[in-house]
Amino acid sequence: MTQLVLKMYNYHVWANGVIIDRLKELPQEIYHQEIQSGFSSVSKVLSHIYLTDYAWFDIISGKSMNEAMGSTDQLRKEMETKSIEEMKKIFLDLSERNKALLNSQKDIEKLIVVDNPYAGLLETSISESVLQVVTHGSYHRGNIATMLRQMGHTSVMQDFGLYLYSK
């Protein structure tokens, strides 16, 4: 299971890089352009993916969900104003930190308790938390693909099958 969870996290990192690289190819104004969608701009979606990753890995590290959400709330405005080039570096830095954390875990199936202020207590494992990060990122990269279509641009394939072929 450990290897599969790490592979899925590596896929998540790869897919984030693929969508970021696509965004770098598009006109610069696309990244912050306001549109009518679930999120008001691509930059806000990408920031949301980053901040959620950041929070979940804080939780895996032992912080409470309230502490993790407090940290991300402080970062939100700053993240949403960053350029796509800055976001690429920030994502890479976070992924290196997160990979080190995962590789340091003696038992990736260890149970943790998450006290979500909106949903209550959840007993889950580190591995399930990582899969939450991966599926959450996939969902919101899909939002970005839809938003790009609304603005007259194409996205890029980033599914797990393509990741497997790229290795």
Side-chain angles (χ1 to χ4, degrees), residues 68-144:
M69 289 171 66
S71 296
T72 59
D73 284 347
Q74 291 176 3
L75 290 172
R76 182 168 275 93
K77 285 233 184 281
E78 178 188 341
M79 292 298 107
E80 291 173 358
T81 61
K82 299 259 184 223
S83 70
I84 190 63
E85 291 81 13
E86 291 171 309
M87 289 302 285
K88 180 160 182 140
K89 181 180 181 346
I90 290 166
F91 265 93
L92 284 174
D93 291 348
L94 182 63
S95 70
E96 291 305 314
R97 184 188 102 176
N98 294 344
K99 285 179 189 181
L101 175 64
L102 290 175
N103 286 319
S104 74
Q105 297 300 307
K106 290 183 176 70
D107 180 10
I108 202 156
E109 297 306 320
K110 178 179 127 187
L111 293 179
I112 58 176
V113 176
V114 178
D115 188 358
N116 185 319
Y118 307 106
L121 290 175
L122 172 67
E123 188 174 81
T124 188
S125 64
I126 292 171
S127 65
E128 287 175 336
S129 300
V130 173
L131 294 177
Q132 157 59 26
V133 166
V134 174
T135 58
H136 176 265
S138 293
Y139 176 78
H140 287 299
R141 286 187 300 272
N143 293 147
I144 292 172

Side-chain angles (χ1 to χ4, degrees), residues 2-47:
T2 300
Q3 286 306 104
L4 179 59
V5 169
L6 294 175
K7 181 184 266 188
M8 292 304 295
Y9 183 70
N10 287 332
Y11 155 69
H12 175 68
V13 170
W14 171 85
N16 285 337
V18 167
I19 198 72
I20 289 169
D21 287 345
R22 175 62 182 138
L23 292 168
K24 286 173 59 177
E25 296 170 354
L26 298 172
Q28 189 175 358
E29 66 274 5
I30 293 295
Y31 184 59
H32 292 288
Q33 183 176 326
E34 294 277 325
I35 66 167
Q36 291 294 315
S37 191
F39 285 83
S40 59
S41 70
V42 171
S43 64
K44 288 185 178 175
V45 181
L46 197 61
S47 295

